[in-house]
Amino acid sequence: MQVMNRKSLVWLVILAVGIAAAWIIFMKERFVMNDPSPTVSFVQNHMTNSNGTLATYLQDASSVDPNIVAGREALSESIGLWMQYAVTKNDQVLFEQSYYLLKTYFLMPQNYIAWKLDTEGKSHVTTNALGDDFRIVGALLKAADQWEQGREEKLATANHIVRTLTQSVQTKGYYVDFHDFANGHSPDILSLVYVDLQALQAMEEHEMLEPGTYTKYESLLKSMPDDGVFYPKTFNVVTKEYTYDDTVNLIDQLIVANHLTATNRTSDKLISFLKTEFNTRHQLPGQYKRTGRTPAVSYESPSVYGLAMLLAVQSGDPKWAKQLYNHMITMRSLDNAYPGGYVFDGNTHMFDNLFPLLGETELQKFLKK
């Protein structure tokens, strides 16, 4: 009798352990998304200046160099990402608000977009940022196709911006990172994160570019080398040479990989590396040493997970996207004073909220299909 009881007890323990393990796995894999995302309220309540522009940082700080962003200054990067979110979410009201900010504060009389504004909405720079311009133009064209109201005006605005880019922000027939409209200077460098193929394709389809322009930049990305995992950082438009950084920023790598989804070149090697890293380390450090493939920093960036989610969705891999999402939101609302925000030590950068917001919104759309 005691033997039978002992055996029964052993089986009960095994059963209990099995049930507990199954419950842990279930809770780990459980997938629930907030709609709307609490990050939207955080941006609107805590990261928006009194004039409606989006602050770069949560905490204010004085700008000591007009070429470096500080505190509550606003970036063209932020307005572009916010416009992309509005289009993806099909929020016409939010897009119109952003479009107003673009025309009122960011769009200069010469029809270029200032890359940075102070908290009052004034520009103290005379340069643009090509990648932000492409992102904004792409959002304008999608909005024009998505909503009939104001369609012609948005197309005209996009056309003015593209014309300025084509006339001024080129070297040797290639778009380059920026143009200084005060002294007429443009560099010889095109950062590969700026080669936004989706936007270029939309620009050509709307007859804002010469035929063949898209194919030229598609070829530039398809033919670029890699080191077995990572992509180069820049392309010199004069020497036609690609250049790598010794320390690799995963945000840059993932933006390039997302651009590549418009082509038939896959990012399998980068994706495989990131999956292995995530499964091994249970996180993705923000930067890596290129030669050793080892983390160069200990911190995580919410932007990395947002962009990796976008890549997973574009690659048709919702399982990986869900895993990334579940990990990403563990970094959200850690500061009780700022629910919905990715706030660390009392501060945050706007892109560390907007890239995650875009990633989860695209995943949500994908899962609803």
Side-chain angles (χ1 to χ4, degrees), residues 20-285:
W23 177 251
I24 291 171
I25 292 171
F26 169 75
M27 292 301 293
K28 186 177 180 181
E29 296 297 325
R30 191 167 63 104
F31 186 73
V32 178
M33 297 191 79
N34 300 107
D35 188 20
S37 169
T39 304
V40 176
S41 295
F42 168 73
V43 170
Q44 293 173 328
N45 295 333
H46 299 288
M47 299 293 289
T48 303
N49 294 320
S50 58
N51 59 5
T53 58
L54 300 179
T56 302
Y57 292 98
L58 175 61
Q59 299 299 326
D60 199 6
S62 299
S63 176
V64 295
D65 184 342
N67 295 310
I68 301 175
V69 65
R72 307 287 296 188
E73 292 183 320
L75 296 177
S76 57
E77 174 187 64
S78 301
I79 193 71
L81 290 170
W82 198 229
M83 292 169 79
Q84 281 187 324
Y85 166 72
V87 171
T88 302
K89 196 64 177 173
N90 197 30
D91 189 333
Q92 188 175 3
V93 173
L94 181 60
F95 189 88
E96 291 298 331
Q97 294 169 352
S98 303
Y99 181 47
Y100 170 80
L101 295 173
L102 173 71
K103 294 186 299 179
T104 303
Y105 298 110
F106 285 94
L107 194 56
M108 298 293 105
Q110 302 97 315
N111 284 319
Y112 75 90
I113 300 171
W115 75 272
K116 182 172 78 84
L117 307 174
D118 66 18
T119 55
E120 303 300 319
K122 296 178 182 178
S123 173
H124 302 280
V125 299
T126 57
T127 51
N128 67 308
L130 181 71
D132 302 345
D133 301 340
F134 282 167
R135 182 180 289 119
I136 289 169
V137 169
L140 284 171
L141 297 180
K142 283 186 178 179
D145 292 341
Q146 198 158 308
W147 303 302
E148 187 60 35
Q149 180 184 350
R151 169 180 166 80
E152 294 304 320
E153 183 189 351
K154 292 180 181 65
L155 288 174
T157 300
N159 194 43
H160 290 317
I161 296 169
V162 173
R163 188 178 303 165
T164 300
L165 293 175
T166 302
Q167 291 175 348
S168 301
V169 194
Q170 289 204 20
T171 300
K172 297 293 185 180
Y174 283 89
Y175 291 113
V176 289
D177 282 6
F178 66 88
H179 180 74
D180 190 327
F181 288 84
N183 62 28
H185 170 71
S186 292
D188 298 339
I189 297 300
L190 172 59
S191 294
L192 297 173
V193 293
Y194 287 171
V195 186
D196 188 338
L197 293 180
Q198 289 87 345
L200 286 162
Q201 186 172 33
M203 289 151 61
E204 189 166 311
E205 288 174 350
H206 284 83
E207 299 181 348
M208 297 178 183
L209 297 176
E210 290 292 325
T213 302
Y214 171 79
T215 301
K216 175 180 178 178
Y217 290 95
E218 180 188 40
S219 176
L220 189 150
L221 283 193
K222 286 176 65 176
S223 62
M224 71 178 170
D226 63 64
D227 69 356
V229 171
F230 298 125
Y231 300 118
K233 177 71 176 291
T234 61
F235 175 73
N236 187 302
V237 301
V238 176
T239 65
K240 306 297 188 297
E241 293 177 335
Y242 294 88
T243 303
Y244 292 91
D245 275 352
D246 292 334
T247 300
V248 174
N249 188 314
L250 282 192
I251 291 175
D252 293 344
Q253 293 292 308
L254 286 162
I255 291 176
V256 173
N258 273 287
H259 292 335
L260 275 174
T261 59
T263 76
N264 60 7
R265 177 176 177 178
T266 65
S267 298
D268 292 345
K269 290 180 284 189
L270 176 64
I271 290 172
S272 177
F273 172 78
L274 294 178
K275 284 184 174 181
T276 299
E277 285 292 292
F278 186 71
N279 290 334
T280 303
R281 302 181 189 278
H282 309 294
Q283 65 172 13
L284 294 174

Side-chain angles (χ1 to χ4, degrees), residues 329-369:
I329 61 173
T330 64
M331 295 185 281
R332 188 170 70 189
S333 305
L334 291 177
D335 191 322
N336 292 330
Y338 303 104
Y342 293 86
V343 180
F344 310 94
D345 298 324
N347 208 358
T348 187
H349 193 291
M350 179 57 85
F351 67 57
D352 269 334
N353 295 275
L354 294 184
F355 279 126
L357 179 60
L358 270 176
E360 65 177 301
T361 305
E362 289 287 2
L363 175 58
Q364 193 172 59
K365 278 184 63 178
F366 181 83
L367 295 176
K368 287 181 178 179
K369 290 180 180 178

